[in-house]
Amino acid sequence: MQAGEFRKGATFEYEGSVWTIVDFQHVKPGKGAAFVRTKMKNVIDGKVLERTWNPTEKVQEAHIETKNMTYSYNDGELYYFMDEEYNLTPLNYEQVEDALMYIKENDPVVVKFYKGSAFSVECENFVVLRVVQSDPSVKGNTATNATKEAVLETGAKIQVPMFVNEGELIRVDTRTGEYMERVKG
């Protein structure tokens, strides 16, 4: 894989570790050669590194396995995920923190593995969650695009339209953390 082909989520081996692209930017300055600016995360220890690449630099793609699993429970330290054969895989907070804002017990997730070791969890792109805390809507304030903060049952805080009330179910885009729509419960 060449650095010019980098995309979010691409995984590769670099300096003896496996890295995933968190953010990237192709830059073509007025003078000089183009380059690729990346923010990459070590999939094993979670260390984040910013690096600039020549677009023709080559790296070895890493073979990542994915497995459909279910979030089972948290024992205070570790988060447990179960596969179809009822095997539990424990993960620490750093490995699950991105997905944790949008999953609750028994929710389906995809767990990523490198050489047999789990290193990250991805939840579904859209989830339905209950609003547990929100300011009440004000009559006449629902026609504008005004928003307010709402706390979801998982603890996530997102911006929602003024007409969304406590106790309602809403659909959330987990890739952006944005409110999508109300859902009939």
Side-chain angles (χ1 to χ4, degrees):
M1 169 191 289
Q2 288 188 334
E5 301 169 335
F6 282 167
R7 298 288 175 260
K8 271 189 180 180
T11 52
F12 58 93
E13 295 181 26
Y14 172 68
E15 294 184 349
S17 294
V18 178
W19 299 82
T20 186
I21 299 293
V22 176
D23 201 11
F24 72 97
Q25 182 179 20
H26 292 276
V27 180
K28 180 142 180 46
K31 290 182 178 179
F35 59 91
V36 180
R37 184 179 292 132
T38 61
K39 188 176 190 181
M40 45 196 223
K41 184 176 181 179
N42 186 311
V43 300
I44 306 302
D45 65 18
K47 186 170 83 174
V48 175
L49 178 69
E50 292 189 16
R51 186 179 190 287
T52 302
W53 303 79
N54 179 324
T56 58
E57 270 186 88
K58 293 187 181 216
V59 292
Q60 179 65 43
E61 256 185 280
H63 178 68
I64 304 297
E65 292 178 55
T66 60
K67 193 185 271 192
N68 291 326
M69 301 182 90
T70 304
Y71 174 43
S72 225
Y73 66 96
N74 166 352
D75 68 3
E77 287 182 31
L78 298 174
Y79 298 83
Y80 292 87
F81 297 86
M82 189 183 320
D83 63 14
E84 286 91 21
E85 290 88 42
Y86 302 107
N87 298 317
L88 285 175
T89 301
L91 295 170
N92 63 37
Y93 177 77
E94 288 75 28
Q95 294 169 309
V96 302
E97 67 180 316
D98 293 339
L100 213 51
M101 300 302 284
Y102 305 108
I103 60 174
K104 51 191 189 301
E105 288 184 5
N106 300 317
D107 279 352
V109 294
V110 173
V111 179
K112 290 186 175 183
F113 292 83
Y114 177 70
K115 293 186 178 177
S117 296
F119 67 86
S120 81
V121 175
E122 290 180 357
C123 54
E124 295 180 331
N125 291 340
F126 301 98
V127 293
V128 174
L129 295 169
R130 186 170 306 281
V131 175
V132 294
Q133 183 181 344
S134 174
D135 292 332
S137 57
V138 179
K139 189 173 177 77
N141 202 3
T142 57
T144 64
N145 287 337
T147 61
K148 61 183 178 180
E149 186 175 82
V151 179
L152 306 179
E153 60 187 305
T154 59
K157 294 179 181 175
I158 68 166
Q159 292 295 313
V160 298
M162 297 300 273
F163 58 79
V164 174
N165 294 309
E166 280 185 24
E168 290 186 318
L169 293 173
I170 60 170
R171 186 176 321 280
V172 179
D173 184 334
T174 61
R175 298 164 295 188
T176 61
E178 292 178 1
Y179 163 87
M180 299 303 294
E181 63 186 351
R182 282 194 285 194
V183 177
K184 298 286 184 228

